Every structure is written in structure tokens, then in C-alpha cells.
Amino acid sequence: MKLSQLLEQIEYTCVQGGLDKEIKSVVYDSRKVTPDSLFLCIKGAVSDGHKYAKEVVEKGATVLVVQDEVEVPEEVTVIRVENTRYAMACISAAWFGHPAEKMKVIGITGTKGKTTTTYLVKSILENAGYKVGLIGTIEAIIGDEVIPAANTTPESYIVQEYFAKMAEAGCDCVVMEVSSQGLMLHRTAGFVFDFGIFTNIEPDHIGPNEHKDFDDYLHCKGLLFKQCKVGIVNADDEHVQQVLEGHTCTVETYGLHDNADLWAKDLKLVTGKGVLGIDYEVQGLMDFPVEIDLPGKFSVYNSLTAIAICRHFGVSEENIQKALRAAKVKGRIEMVKVSDEFTLMIDYAHNAMSLESLLTTLKEYKPKRLVCLFGCGGNRSKLRRYEMGEVSGKLADLTIITSDNPRNEEPQAIIDDIKIGIGKTDGKYVEIIDRKEAIAYAIHNGQPGDVIVLAGKGHEDYQEIKGKKYPMDERDLIRDILAGK
Ligand SMILES: CC(=O)N[C@H]1[C@@H](OP(=O)(O)OP(=O)(O)OC[C@H]2O[C@@H](n3ccc(=O)[nH]c3=O)[C@H](O)[C@@H]2O)O[C@H](CO)[C@@H](O)[C@@H]1O[C@H](C)C(=O)N[C@@H](C)C(=O)N[C@H](CCC(=O)O)C(=O)O
Ligand SMILES: Nc1ncnc2c1ncn2[C@@H]1O[C@H](COP(=O)(O)OP(=O)(O)OP(=O)(O)O)[C@@H](O)[C@H]1O
Ligand SMILES: N[C@H](CCC[C@H](N)C(=O)O)C(=O)O
Ligand SMILES: [Mg+2]
């Protein structure tokens, strides 16, 4: 592709060299440069792409896009921009032929509920006959191809590459999680979202390499509403007006009160055989009853968000009801039937905030006992261990402390840290270091009316021990335990 074509959407200064060049690849990692590459120098958290300038030219890069000065031979074209990450998003969009314009693009931002809501939207739209691509924390789904994710919102080049593959695979729409880091680092620049969604915001992701403070976090979430046509936001979130500050889209709201355009009323907790759910009435822009086999108030928010989005696609009430009834999200309050007498679920809560919101929600079902099984990741914050121990000790009737991903730490040392937290409460606990044995203990000792939560591993299908990932899927462990293996 011609260099000038790639630069059409950005402001730049050509510092040296000419614009009449044919580009054979767009690259942001020096290790992937080949002859006639355009190389983007990105300043990262660990490294700085500018320092590879000489090396990439030796490998055949003919154009460098920079934000700082570089010294390279005069025949190499140097394009200077204000921000190379932003430029990368625009150049990538051009490189892949602006694929976002060929589909409806739905972006979901917020502290919690993004992953769950993307899958609910996908289920509803597919049930109504749409072909839907997905990008998020667990994976990217492009037709029949499933690519495990490294980031919730990948680098802009990858976003555009996935979009192009989706358009080629015949997708009508794409639903993606838009993390605040993704917005901050321009991973989703270079195109306009048809729909931008805001779920909620709580202090999180604040620290080195993430956001400098809560205001910055709020500001970054708000960027989505300057880059979408229709904004659909949670009217009940106390920060919604700050998130919408300076928005350029039309705005629609959802929530649990009649001040919202689409709202839910008459919430009823439902306990079935081995399943917890919630029923409610949709009001406002639509009017129909919903029954879902996902528990708690936050499942009302997530499903209502999905309904608010799918309304714009003309999906019938009947199709929405049918899809939500069957909806399941891997590792997100995923109920696994092990008994008619008690309920067991796999969830990804791996910090105190999500564990607390999950256990509090489950307590509303008044279980005979709330049993919480979890461990904590090695080589991760120790604070998480104390805090999760304390939350579980406070809210669960029994905690089963076990291993998560020990990584390079001793599993017993992690358990000992969790015990410090739980020791601040009078919560009852047992410790069983092997996760499968711990799950077997939970199942074999399940009592009628119990709710058992396996927290922390969610969708993960491995256990990481000393730098190696061993296959371990909790669904398989449960199957084996039930089969007596
Ligand atoms: C802190 C951070 O955001 N890191 C991400 C990032 O690294 P970086 O851009 O800072 O890269 P770097 O290693 O400093 O390198 C800078 C540049 O030099 C280049 N380089 C580097 C080495 C070399 O030899 N040659 C070379 O050219 C790199 O390709 C890059 O262009 O780029 C990587 C590849 O695109 C990401 O995978 C990586 O995410 C890491 C895994 C991460 O943990 N990110 C977190 C903070 C994150 O983004 N999380 C959010 C939210 C998650 C959620 O709540 O759901 C997300 O969207 O995932
Ligand atoms: N709307 C919600 N409000 C509060 N908590 C929620 C909500 N939805 C889900 N949760 C809880 O938070 C956990 C994470 O949910 P989910 O994966 O959908 O969120 P996410 O925004 O994608 O989070 P992450 O940034 O970790 O990927 C769930 O396992 C559940 O315990
Ligand atoms: N089961 C996991 C959750 C990981 C969440 C991830 N964001 C991280 O902190 O690496 C662990 O603690 O190992
Ligand atoms: Mg997610």
C-alpha cells in the first residue's frame, strides 16, 4: 500500500525522506520487521520503540513513525506525529481498509460486567440471526476461529486485524470490551463505535502502568462517549455524569428506576433445582418479562444492558427472552449442576471487591450455608490474599482455602497469607492445598440448600506452577469427581 494512503487520517510532519513509498507491512515490534516495513516507534511501560530505530532500518524498514527524534540514514522516511499510539490506530485502520465501517461496532466499558455483557449480547444477536464477532478478556471469536486473549482490549493493530477478519468472515456486527487502559493507550482509536456502553465504575486499575488516580480512570472511560454514535449508560451509577462530560453522542439510559429510558422493576430472586436466577419486568422503551438463570442484581444490570443494545438491532421480545433464558458465560457465575439439592458455581472473582459483591449477592438467596472455595495467584499482590481471606471469613459460612495459580511461590505460603486475613474474622475454614481435592471436599460435603462458589479461576483452563501451565479446567475436575475418578 502507498505510504500517503496510510497517512490520510493523521496529522504529521515529514522530517526526512519522501512519501512516495510502497509499504509491505506495518510493524510495531522490531523483532517482526521485514524489508519495506513501516515501523511505529511506541513508548511502552517497559521498552521504547525509538531505541530500535537503527536495528529496524538494518532489517529493511523504509519508513519510521516517531514522536521523538531518531537518527537514521537520509533515504529512510521519518514521519513525526504527536502520539505514535494514536497514529498506529489510524494507520492500522487504513492498512486493513477501515473494516469497522463494514460492521456495526459495539464497545462496552466499565469496571465490572463487560465480559458478561458481551457474551449476553452475542447470544441474543446470534439467536436473532446475526453473525457476531467478539473481542474481550477471555478470547476473540472470529467466525469459527477462537483466539485466546492476552489483553482485554488488544493493541490497535490487532483490533483492526480482527475487525478485517470478522468482516471477511461475514460478521454483521462486533461486540467488544473496551478497557480504560485500552482507551488511554488509543487501542480503539481510528474508527467510530456505533454504540458505546457504560456499565459502572469503582476505583480499580490505579497504580504504576495503569491510571494515576480515579479522575484519570473516569476521564479515560469517558473517552468512549466522544467516539461513538449512540451512548447507552447506567443511570444508577453515581459517576455517570462525569463519565458523560463532553460527550458527542446521543445518550440513552438504563437502570432500576423509572428515570431511565429502559428500566427493570419487580425483581424476584428465584431458586430452582441446583440453579439460582432472577426474574424482572422490562419497562420504558420496551415492556416484557425476563427470566434468567444468572443470580443477583448485577445480572439484572448486565442483561438489561444487553437488552438496551439489542433493541437497536430490532430483535423481538420473544428472541431476547429465549436467548437470555439459555445464556451462560464461561467462568462468570457459571452454574454447574452437581446436585438437585445444592448449587455450585464457577466464578472469576479474584480480588476482594468482586468477591465481596458476589458473596453479598448470593447471601440474598438465603442459602443454608454459603461455601466459598478459593486460593490466590502467586507473584501477585499479597494484599489480595489478606483482603480476600477477610471478605470470605466475614461473608461465607465456610471457606475452603486452596491453590489458584501458585506461579513461582510456595502454595502453602500463599495459603498462610490468606489465613492471616481470615484470622481477623471468626469465619470457619478448612485448608486443602490441592484444588481438585478441595473441590471434591466441597461437593462431597454439600448439604441441601448450600450455595458453593469456586472463585478465582473462572474461564482459565490451566494451573500455572513454576513457569509452566498445566491443563486444569474446573469443569473437567467436577466431571471426574462426580465420576469417582
Ligand atoms: C502495561 C501495558 O499495558 N503493557 C502492554 C503493552 O506493553 P507496552 O506497550 O508497554 O510495551 P513495551 O514492552 O514497553 O514495549 C514498547 C514498544 O517497544 C516494542 N519493542 C519491545 C521490545 C523489542 O525488542 N522490540 C520492540 O520493538 C514493543 O513492541 C512496543 O511497541 O503492550 C503489550 C502488547 O500489545 C500488551 O500485551 C501489554 O499488556 C500487558 C500484558 C498488561 O498487563 N496490560 C494491562 C495493564 C492492560 O492493558 N489491561 C487492560 C485491562 C484488563 C481488564 O481489566 O480486563 C487490558 O485491556 O488488557
Ligand atoms: N454489573 C456488575 N456489577 C458488579 N459486579 C459484577 C457485574 N457483573 C459481574 N460482576 C462480578 O464481577 C466479576 C467479573 O465480571 P465480568 O468479567 O463480566 O466483568 P469485566 O468488566 O469484564 O471485568 P474484568 O475487567 O476483570 O475483565 C464476575 O465474576 C462477577 O462476580
Ligand atoms: N486466577 C488468577 C486470576 C488472575 C487475574 C489476572 N488479571 C492476574 O492478576 O494475573 C490468578 O490470580 O492467578
Ligand atoms: Mg473482562
Side-chain angles (χ1 to χ4, degrees), residues 43-76:
K43 288 177 114 157
V46 182
S47 191
D48 181 351
H50 293 85
K51 76 178 189 207
Y52 305 102
K54 282 209 172 79
E55 179 188 325
V56 297
V57 168
E58 279 159 23
K59 283 184 170 170
T62 50
V63 178
L64 301 188
V65 180
V66 303
Q67 63 186 60
D68 289 346
E69 280 181 20
V70 288
E71 262 182 58
V72 285
E74 60 184 18
E75 67 276 14
V76 177

Side-chain angles (χ1 to χ4, degrees), residues 356-465:
E356 180 154 21
S357 93
L358 177 68
L359 297 182
T360 308
T361 286
L362 294 175
K363 270 183 105 65
E364 288 172 15
Y365 285 83
K366 304 203 178 342
K368 169 115 188 302
R369 294 182 314 162
L370 180 57
V371 179
C372 176
L373 176 151
F374 76 98
C376 285
N379 303 91
R380 293 288 183 276
S381 155
K382 277 201 174 209
L383 204 60
R384 259 188 204 173
R385 304 172 192 176
Y386 310 135
E387 289 179 351
M388 287 179 77
E390 196 172 342
V391 163
S392 188
K394 194 174 67 185
L395 295 171
D397 299 291
L398 173 67
T399 302
I400 303 174
I401 311 176
T402 185
S403 301
D404 191 291
N405 293 310
R407 301 198 175 84
N408 293 315
E409 289 195 60
E410 277 310 316
Q412 187 58 48
I414 300 173
I415 290 177
D416 290 342
D417 285 337
I418 296 170
K419 277 159 59 183
I420 295 176
I422 209 167
K424 292 188 190 158
T425 70
D426 52 12
K428 256 176 64 181
Y429 69 88
V430 293
E431 49 179 294
I432 303 172
I433 203 160
D434 179 85
R435 196 161 178 110
K436 183 177 175 192
E437 280 175 30
I439 296 173
Y441 176 90
I443 292 177
H444 293 143
N445 292 285
Q447 296 175 17
D450 279 357
V451 170
I452 303 171
V453 182
L454 314 183
K457 299 262 323 144
H459 58 276
E460 293 175 359
D461 57 4
Y462 60 85
Q463 187 172 39
E464 188 180 335
I465 305 172

Side-chain angles (χ1 to χ4, degrees), residues 125-390:
L125 292 182
E126 279 182 345
N127 190 57
Y130 288 95
K131 190 156 184 189
V132 186
L134 179 144
I135 301 176
T137 308
I138 306 178
E139 61 211 354
I141 306 177
I142 304 166
D144 298 329
E145 195 184 355
V146 177
I147 306 166
N151 284 101
T152 289
T153 307
E155 210 56 84
S156 58
Y157 180 89
I158 300 176
V159 169
Q160 294 296 333
E161 185 181 26
Y162 287 173
F163 281 178
K165 284 185 170 177
M166 286 173 189
E168 192 154 304
C171 291
D172 317 290
C173 40
V174 44
V175 56
M176 69 180 292
E177 290 183 57
V178 182
S179 66
S180 52
Q181 288 98 324
L183 286 163
M184 178 172 81
L185 299 173
H186 308 292
R187 293 179 192 157
T188 55
F191 66 96
V192 176
F193 286 94
D194 293 280
F195 301 96
I197 322 301
F198 167 64
T199 63
N200 50 55
I201 190 161
E202 280 187 61
D204 194 18
H205 297 296
I206 293 160
N209 296 335
E210 296 190 272
H211 299 285
K212 67 177 193 299
D213 53 30
F214 187 57
D215 275 348
D216 183 53
Y217 186 40
L218 267 172
H219 167 77
C220 287
K221 291 253 179 264
L223 293 174
L224 183 58
F225 303 96
K226 295 177 185 146
Q227 203 198 323
C228 70
K229 295 177 188 160
V230 181
I232 303 178
V233 302
N234 180 351
D236 298 341
D237 191 277
E238 60 171 312
H239 298 290
V240 67
Q241 289 312 328
Q242 283 156 281
V243 168
L244 284 177
E245 216 171 278
H247 69 274
T248 53
C249 56
T250 60
V251 174
E252 208 179 281
T253 59
Y254 64 89
L256 300 191
H257 306 283
D258 63 3
N259 63 330
D261 299 320
L262 191 79
W263 58 289
K265 70 167 190 182
D266 296 341
L267 277 55
K268 282 190 203 74
L269 303 179
V270 181
T271 308
K273 285 191 170 171
V275 181
L276 303 176
I278 195 158
D279 297 351
Y280 61 92
E281 296 283 330
V282 179
Q283 297 286 288
L285 292 169
M286 292 182 109
D287 182 353
F288 63 96
V290 171
E291 297 173 5
I292 42 169
D293 287 344
L294 296 170
K297 213 193 227 177
F298 61 64
S299 300
V300 175
Y301 277 109
N302 294 340
S303 53
L304 191 64
T305 314
I307 295 170
I309 298 166
C310 295
R311 193 182 70 82
H312 287 270
F313 289 77
V315 183
S316 68
E317 293 173 5
E318 201 188 351
N319 274 336
I320 292 177
Q321 286 167 321
K322 214 160 68 190
L324 284 177
R325 185 88 245 199
K328 238 183 175 194
V329 184
K330 194 172 183 196
R332 303 298 188 277
I333 35 177
E334 176 187 348
M335 276 171 280
V336 183
K337 185 108 188 268
V338 295
S339 158
D340 281 348
E341 305 282 305
F342 60 86
T343 312
L344 179 141
M345 65 192 72
I346 297 175
D347 191 75
Y348 194 45
H350 56 263
N351 63 16
M353 184 171 81
S354 46
L355 193 66
E356 180 154 21
S357 93
L358 177 68
L359 297 182
T360 308
T361 286
L362 294 175
K363 270 183 105 65
E364 288 172 15
Y365 285 83
K366 304 203 178 342
K368 169 115 188 302
R369 294 182 314 162
L370 180 57
V371 179
C372 176
L373 176 151
F374 76 98
C376 285
N379 303 91
R380 293 288 183 276
S381 155
K382 277 201 174 209
L383 204 60
R384 259 188 204 173
R385 304 172 192 176
Y386 310 135
E387 289 179 351
M388 287 179 77
E390 196 172 342

